[in-house]
Amino acid sequence: MLDQLRAVLQEHQLKATRQRLLVLEYMMTHENHPTADMIHQELPEISLATVYNTLEKFVAANLVIVIDGMADGKRHYDTAEERHYHVINTDNNDIIDASNFDPSTLIKAAEEATGLTITDYRIDLYGHPDKK
Ligand SMILES: [Zn+2]
């Protein structure tokens, strides 16, 4: 695991500090779309500010993505590795992973509409359970 984590950091041109290895390990072993607070609670030996700064470094290096616009007003993070889209339950702020969607039609439409070549995308959908 440690070798794998070091390799990932190196791939993204990041020095492998102890804090980075721990935060990256957390991100790769949890699918809970954590906030910096949540990671800090599990890794109290790393200050909240360091957790936050580490995550933002990961975001700048395209290792991690931010999910914002949440009703809790906090930045949530996710690994950028596996392609999936998010469905956010606005009643309880649950972020649900889903991958049963082929975005190629949407990507083609976006390219036709703008003349740009689409190189990346993120899809976040918001909804609430049916009120019965
Ligand atoms: Zn996700």
Side-chain angles (χ1 to χ4, degrees):
M1 182 76 175
L2 195 58
D3 283 350
Q4 191 196 335
L5 295 171
R6 284 181 193 283
V8 170
L9 288 174
Q10 194 172 22
E11 219 173 276
H12 291 264
Q13 272 93 48
L14 293 166
K15 257 177 53 190
T17 63
R18 187 180 141 66
Q19 287 97 330
R20 285 178 187 170
L21 288 166
L22 286 169
V23 173
L24 182 62
E25 181 179 29
Y26 181 100
M27 289 304 296
M28 293 192 135
T29 53
H30 292 69
E31 286 174 13
N32 57 349
H33 307 97
T35 61
D37 276 312
M38 288 161 69
I39 298 175
H40 172 62
Q41 271 170 31
E42 210 159 301
L43 301 171
E45 71 270 29
I46 308 177
S47 75
L48 177 59
T50 301
V51 171
Y52 181 80
N53 290 333
T54 302
L55 288 165
E56 291 300 314
K57 270 241 157 64
F58 288 174
V59 171
N62 293 317
L63 185 51
V64 159
I65 61 164
V66 178
I67 305 157
D68 50 19
M70 298 286 291
D72 66 5
K74 292 181 177 165
R75 287 166 82 78
H76 290 251
Y77 298 89
D78 197 3
T79 53
E81 275 190 313
E82 269 174 46
R83 270 295 173 223
H84 59 270
Y85 64 96
H86 292 123
V87 185
I88 294 153
N89 181 336
T90 54
D91 278 12
N92 62 9
N93 275 312
D94 245 7
I95 303 173
I96 303 156
D97 286 330
S99 55
N100 61 335
F101 167 71
D102 175 4
S104 56
T105 306
L106 177 61
I107 288 169
K108 197 157 172 274
E111 289 183 333
E112 279 171 15
T114 62
L116 297 174
T117 299
I118 303 301
T119 56
D120 196 16
Y121 68 90
R122 280 178 50 195
I123 301 171
D124 298 332
L125 303 164
Y126 298 80
H128 60 76
D130 281 334
K131 306 270 192 287
K132 298 247 160 73

